Amino acid sequence: MVRKPSSVDAGTGENKERKGLWSPDEDERLFTQITRHGVSTWSSVAQLAGLRRSGKSCRLRWMNYLRPDLKKEPISKREEETIISLQQSLGNRWSTIAARMPGRTDNEIKNYWNSRIRKRLNAAAKAGRVGDSAEKPSAPATGEKEESMDNADAAAAAPLPIPARFPVFACQLLVDGGGGGDQSTTTTTTEQQNSWSEESEASVGDGSEDARHHCAVIAAGDSNMIHDFLTFDELDYQAELLMDMPGVMDAWESELYSSNSMGSLN
DNA sequence: AAGACACGCAACCGCAAACAA
DNA sequence: ATTGTTTGCGGTTGCGTGTCT
């Protein structure tokens, strides 16, 4: 709905690459080519599909639009919170952020950030206090200096403030393969959590019971029992799934608004 | 009704990393 | 080790559409 369908091939450009919007026919060709034969190199995909497009363009179209696993629905509140949180901890590493949000593309997240969230945060920053440097939050991981704001404004801009780091609770293991063993009733450690998160990563995507139990291990308890913090990177979970766990957001918020600022933990 | 403006988003561009020859 | 090609990423642009005046 944006660029003209083609401008480069107008006139004499019989052999030139097309640019601009993709036609339904081009989409069909690309989709068929990839689903039937896969991708060796993107330039060959373009050629085999009979498209006068660069490999780069084909890749972009597939990744951002044609891929079957893409979510079509608008970005939810929860997803927005995840974006804000991940952006805080990772900076503008959109592909990394997208990798943690199944069904979403880096381009989509980047666009969402630039057109909505950033604008809102900037507005909140402008409306907020000026020159109160003592209460400014930690800077984003990379760049985006102009987006710094105080915590109150961030809270106003984002419905649910999500810390960059996730609390790990000293807690009892609820379930782990049904076996007693060391993990059945022991206090968890960061290292253990990491290894569990890795082994359950695949099933987390399915929202399986095992994955949920592993998440619950981390989520269980209350904020007084927090003994460590993990970044989203270290967690290796879908933040969205974690946030659905009972008590997680409550504990998060209570920790966030307690004396310790989460930013200082980064 | 129409022009101006803002917004959202698809797609391009340039660069750097990874890979192959 | 060098050179050329491909891929992936982040920043940016351009335009259709909706809203405001």
Side-chain angles (χ1 to χ4, degrees):
Chain A
M1 71 170 73
V2 183
R3 294 166 192 265
K4 290 175 183 173
S6 175
S7 56
V8 174
D9 65 340
T12 61
E14 214 17 66
N15 295 324
K16 288 188 180 174
E17 282 172 356
R18 273 172 59 86
K19 289 187 179 182
L21 288 182
W22 281 66
S23 68
D25 179 57
E26 286 178 307
D27 280 345
E28 171 80 28
R29 284 173 184 236
L30 182 62
F31 185 83
T32 303
Q33 174 63 32
I34 292 176
T35 50
R36 285 190 186 164
H37 304 105
V39 176
S40 53
T41 67
W42 284 105
S43 52
S44 72
V45 167
Q47 218 169 9
L48 292 169
L51 295 165
R52 297 208 310 281
R53 294 273 184 175
S54 67
K56 206 171 179 174
S57 179
C58 291
R59 176 188 162 274
L60 201 68
R61 186 63 176 170
W62 174 259
M63 300 298 257
N64 290 338
Y65 190 79
L66 295 176
R67 255 165 59 202
D69 60 324
L70 292 179
K71 284 185 185 171
K72 300 295 181 192
E73 63 267 30
I75 288 175
S76 67
K77 219 68 184 167
R78 276 278 160 80
E79 287 175 310
E80 179 179 311
E81 291 156 7
T82 304
I83 292 170
I84 291 171
S85 169
L86 290 174
Q87 202 279 339
Q88 272 191 334
S89 57
L90 297 170
N92 294 357
R93 290 158 64 187
W94 306 119
S95 61
T96 308
I97 293 172
R100 295 177 178 280
M101 300 182 67
R104 301 299 184 189
T105 71
D106 54 355
N107 207 35
E108 186 178 17
I109 292 169
K110 179 174 59 181
N111 280 337
Y112 192 82
W113 177 267
N114 287 334
S115 65
R116 302 189 195 187
I117 301 176
R118 189 165 71 173
K119 205 160 290 178
R120 239 171 43 217
L121 296 187
N122 280 340
K126 273 183 185 170
R129 291 185 295 273
V130 177
D132 191 357
S133 58
E135 290 196 18
K136 280 185 180 171
S138 61
T142 63
E144 305 292 346
K145 290 175 195 163
E146 76 282 3
E147 288 164 30
S148 63
M149 58 189 166
D150 63 37
N151 285 332
D153 291 333
L160 261 178
I162 300 173
R165 289 177 165 238
F166 197 93
V168 176
F169 304 95
C171 64
Q172 290 193 325
L173 185 62
L174 303 180
V175 175
D176 189 59
D182 289 347
Q183 293 184 351
S184 60
T185 56
T186 167
T187 296
T188 63
T189 67
T190 301
E191 205 173 336
Q192 283 171 317
Q193 299 290 7
N194 280 335
S195 77
W196 297 341
S197 76
E198 279 170 26
E199 78 188 38
S200 64
E201 184 179 10
S203 52
V204 166
D206 302 328
S208 69
E209 274 307 298
D210 271 355
R212 287 189 172 277
H213 288 143
H214 283 309
C215 291
V217 168
I218 288 180
D222 61 48
S223 57
N224 293 328
M225 299 167 72
I226 293 173
H227 76 109
D228 201 357
F229 290 85
L230 297 178
T231 65
F232 278 99
D233 261 331
E234 291 163 332
L235 275 169
D236 219 0
Y237 285 126
Q238 291 177 37
E240 194 176 351
L241 180 57
L242 283 169
M243 285 184 281
D244 283 332
M245 299 309 300
V248 169
M249 294 309 293
D250 290 345
W252 241 352
E253 288 189 75
S254 68
E255 176 62 16
L256 181 65
Y257 294 120
S258 69
S259 55
N260 279 352
S261 98
M262 298 298 289
S264 67
L265 293 159
N266 281 326

